Amino acid sequence: MKLTLKIWRQKNCKDKGAFATYVVDNVDPEMSMLECLDVLNESLIERGELPVAFEHDCREGICGSCGFMINGVAHGPERATTVCQLTMRHFKDGDELVLEPWRALAFPLIKDLVVDRSAFDHIIEAGGYISVSTGNAQDGNTLLIGKETADQAMDAAACIGCGACVAACPNASAALFTGAKIAHLGTLPQGKPERDRRALSMVAQMNAEAFGNCTNIGECTGACPKEIPLEVIARMNRDYLLASCKKREDVPTTITPGFELSAKR
Amino acid sequence: MSAATSAAEVSSQQNRIVTFWQSTNGKKVVMAVTGAMMFLFVIGHLLGNLQVFEGPEKINAYGHFLHSIGEVLWIVRGTLILAIVLHITATVQLGMRSWKARPIGYSRKEAINSSYASRTMYWSGPIVLAFIIFHLLQFTAGYIHPEASFVEGDVYHNLVSGFQVWWVSAWYIFAIILLGFHLRHGIWSMFQSVGLAHPRHTKTLKGAALLIATLIVLGYISIPISILLGLVK
């Protein structure tokens, strides 16, 4: 297969950046998108050029490291697939692919297709702990959890934090990510004691970061490689609303984000 | 001591409301609740208007009835104005935030999972607002009644004479269709914003939202269409 790759090249966050076009003519249909970039990078290195920087780790679709836009769609045209699992047979010989990094103020660009997703880490950090007794592990059947509840928690816990939801959202909102984290811990009995505080803190941190707001349009769940349902956003809203009414303590403190929305555009 | 405590409690209560309003989620809850209030008005207004098909006496009597309840009418109007102001304030603030959240746009971006109605809320909203202002000036205040005559209290006459002007009717139909789009997303979205979603019921809700929005559009546009066709004169 022969493909034309139009890739966003940018040395660092201060550089302006521009698209560069490369023709790769030895693409195997069974290669993954990342392997295709590996092949391109080999030839770039041979020619003495800088290879294209992209993030990757497990290449099994479960670590959440990889991800970029392919032809205007986060993680490319296949649903429920990360770019590392996206095989080139889904494209036709002679296709042109436009590869662009996630674009959001909260995800500052590091290099080429790599962005800094520390904002997600701040939200996770704000979530805090769940109460687990130390010592011997208790008997597995002590806490009975209904199948539906377990499924719901598992569906939300499938989030790998890749950032495709923010990238696909026209508002660059992190509602699906935050919702998934709030739902997966709050649904299970182990996460119940801190449920209110967790919802307040994680939402406060999400709003402190430079993300936009949710308009319930659903682009996030369409782009999500783990198909996290939109329902988790409602779950976040419900937990936040109830916790706001119930809370007795002061406002949760937030971690100062790297980028603030109040800064001049 | 007790005074100090109560002052602290009051400030904590205010703090709570301010924090809630300042969060994007809180603003969306406000938008959902105010949206629901306006939605109820849209239904009530439609039911009132459809009396035009029952003849001049009926709808004029309805108009007189609304004016006769004076204070109650102004309470309803005041509530609606407050709802509109809050809805728009939240929209503008959230819209500005989202606009800032992506300073560098994509060279190419495809919508893969959202409805046309949901993506165009920022267009349908302001156009419907412009329409409402025009509509109030035309039929409630009677300040502008292009190519038509306005008789205070004669609702039937004002409707027929106003809608006989083709472009007034066309603008009305256009705005109502946009209102339909706005409601098609808004009716189910308000449930999501206050935290009510369920994989099974949400599907039904989306279907119901489309059906209700369509019925509202058909109901409203039936009036200018009937007048233009001469069925109501």
Side-chain angles (χ1 to χ4, degrees):
Chain A
M1 277 173 89
K2 185 178 167 183
L3 290 174
T4 308
L5 302 179
K6 208 176 140 194
I7 305 175
W8 184 262
R9 301 303 306 264
Q10 189 173 338
K11 280 196 201 98
N12 52 51
C13 62
K14 293 199 177 73
D15 184 30
K16 208 161 172 287
F19 279 105
T21 308
Y22 304 98
V23 177
V24 189
D25 44 20
N26 48 345
V27 179
D28 189 306
E30 299 310 311
M31 276 179 183
S32 74
M33 185 70 234
L34 296 191
E35 282 163 342
C36 178
L37 286 180
D38 290 337
V39 169
L40 169 69
N41 280 346
E42 288 292 333
S43 68
L44 288 179
I45 293 166
E46 276 173 22
R47 295 205 305 249
E49 290 177 40
L50 277 177
V52 178
F54 60 90
E55 224 177 322
H56 65 107
D57 188 16
C58 74
R59 300 212 179 192
E60 289 178 342
I62 54 169
C63 76
S65 295
C66 66
F68 42 78
M69 305 294 282
I70 304 174
N71 290 345
V73 181
H75 286 298
E78 281 295 296
R79 291 278 180 118
T81 310
T82 53
V83 283
C84 65
Q85 291 284 294
L86 175 70
T87 44
M88 303 314 286
R89 62 169 174 269
H90 296 296
F91 301 106
K92 287 197 296 288
D93 188 38
D95 274 0
E96 188 194 62
L97 308 185
V98 181
L99 310 189
E100 211 171 343
W102 297 159
R103 301 242 188 241
L105 183 63
F107 288 168
L109 194 134
I110 296 173
K111 193 178 182 184
D112 296 341
L113 301 173
V114 183
V115 296
D116 179 358
R117 288 167 296 168
S118 301
F120 271 9
D121 299 336
H122 297 161
I123 296 174
I124 294 286
E125 233 178 296
Y129 54 84
I130 59 156
S131 303
V132 176
S133 304
T134 53
N136 288 341
Q138 62 178 337
D139 184 82
N141 289 328
T142 315
L143 275 173
L144 294 179
I145 302 166
K147 173 80 166 68
E148 285 196 354
T149 311
D151 285 350
Q152 227 180 306
M154 192 58 218
D155 284 350
C159 170
I160 52 176
C162 64
C165 45
V166 175
C169 176
N171 311 308
S173 162
L176 195 73
F177 170 79
T178 314
K181 299 306 169 193
I182 289 176
H184 108 246
L185 292 173
T187 311
L188 294 173
Q190 289 89 341
K192 283 271 155 62
E194 301 83 17
R195 184 174 161 185
D196 290 344
R197 194 195 47 72
R198 185 185 307 115
L200 289 172
S201 309
M202 291 184 99
V203 165
Q205 188 62 41
M206 175 186 84
N207 287 323
E209 302 290 340
F211 294 114
N213 73 290
C214 176
T215 49
N216 302 330
I217 83 166
E219 280 298 324
C220 52
T221 181
C224 178
K226 296 296 144 188
E227 300 186 299
I228 306 289
L230 212 54
E231 192 192 344
V232 300
I233 298 179
R235 172 73 190 219
M236 164 179 70
N237 292 337
R238 183 166 71 237
D239 279 11
Y240 179 70
L241 185 59
L242 293 177
S244 295
C245 296
K246 285 196 281 182
K247 75 170 174 190
R248 295 175 180 224
E249 291 161 26
D250 288 341
V251 193
T253 48
T254 53
I255 306 156
T256 313
F259 279 80
E260 292 195 60
L261 276 171
S262 48
K264 258 197 174 166
R265 196 182 150 148
Chain B
M1 164 93 191
S2 70
T5 317
S6 72
E9 269 168 18
V10 168
S11 85
S12 129
Q13 184 67 24
Q14 279 172 347
N15 196 4
R16 191 179 294 212
I17 294 167
V18 169
T19 310
F20 187 72
W21 168 255
Q22 279 171 345
S23 75
T24 60
N25 313 56
K27 280 201 217 303
K28 285 295 282 185
V29 171
V30 171
M31 284 181 72
V33 173
T34 52
M37 286 155 72
M38 290 187 271
F39 169 60
L40 290 179
F41 167 77
V42 163
I43 291 181
H45 188 55
L46 173 63
L47 295 178
N49 283 4
L50 287 177
Q51 295 179 62
V52 74
F53 293 110
E54 295 186 59
E57 298 77 26
K58 190 87 186 189
I59 193 160
N60 286 352
Y62 172 67
H64 285 299
F65 162 72
L66 288 183
H67 281 280
S68 70
I69 54 171
E71 294 80 10
V72 181
L73 183 69
W74 275 106
I75 291 170
V76 174
R77 282 176 173 174
T79 314
L80 281 170
I81 290 169
L82 183 69
I84 291 171
V85 169
L86 284 173
H87 199 79
I88 293 173
T89 310
T91 309
V92 171
Q93 291 178 347
L94 291 176
M96 291 292 287
R97 185 188 165 107
S98 294
W99 181 68
K100 283 184 193 160
R102 179 163 292 138
I104 302 164
Y106 290 107
S107 70
R108 187 174 166 189
K109 180 74 171 66
E110 306 290 333
I112 54 167
N113 197 43
S114 53
S115 63
Y116 178 76
S118 71
R119 292 194 304 272
T120 50
M121 294 296 269
Y122 284 121
W123 289 102
S124 54
I127 297 172
V128 169
L129 174 68
F131 162 75
I132 292 171
I133 294 169
F134 174 80
H135 189 69
L136 287 175
L137 289 176
Q138 186 183 15
F139 289 121
T140 308
Y143 282 138
I144 38 173
H145 34 85
E147 299 169 45
S149 59
F150 184 86
V151 181
E152 180 80 45
D154 193 348
V155 182
Y156 188 86
H157 166 82
N158 297 339
L159 268 179
V160 173
S161 137
F163 282 134
Q164 271 169 349
V165 184
W166 72 270
W167 63 264
V168 171
S169 285
W171 163 230
Y172 181 90
I173 293 168
F174 170 70
I176 291 294
I177 290 173
L178 288 187
L179 173 68
F181 275 109
H182 207 77
L183 288 175
R184 183 234 183 282
H185 177 67
I187 293 173
W188 90 264
S189 178
M190 60 175 90
F191 286 88
Q192 177 83 3
S193 292
V194 297
L196 299 171
H198 187 284
R200 210 152 40 84
H201 305 320
T202 301
K203 234 178 205 171
T204 320
L205 193 61
K206 280 187 177 179
L210 179 61
L211 182 71
I212 294 169
T214 311
L215 288 177
I216 286 175
V217 170
L218 291 178
Y220 274 110
I221 67 174
S222 70
I223 298 166
I225 288 175
S226 305
I227 290 171
L228 283 178
L229 292 177
L231 300 172
V232 173
K233 46 191 162 181

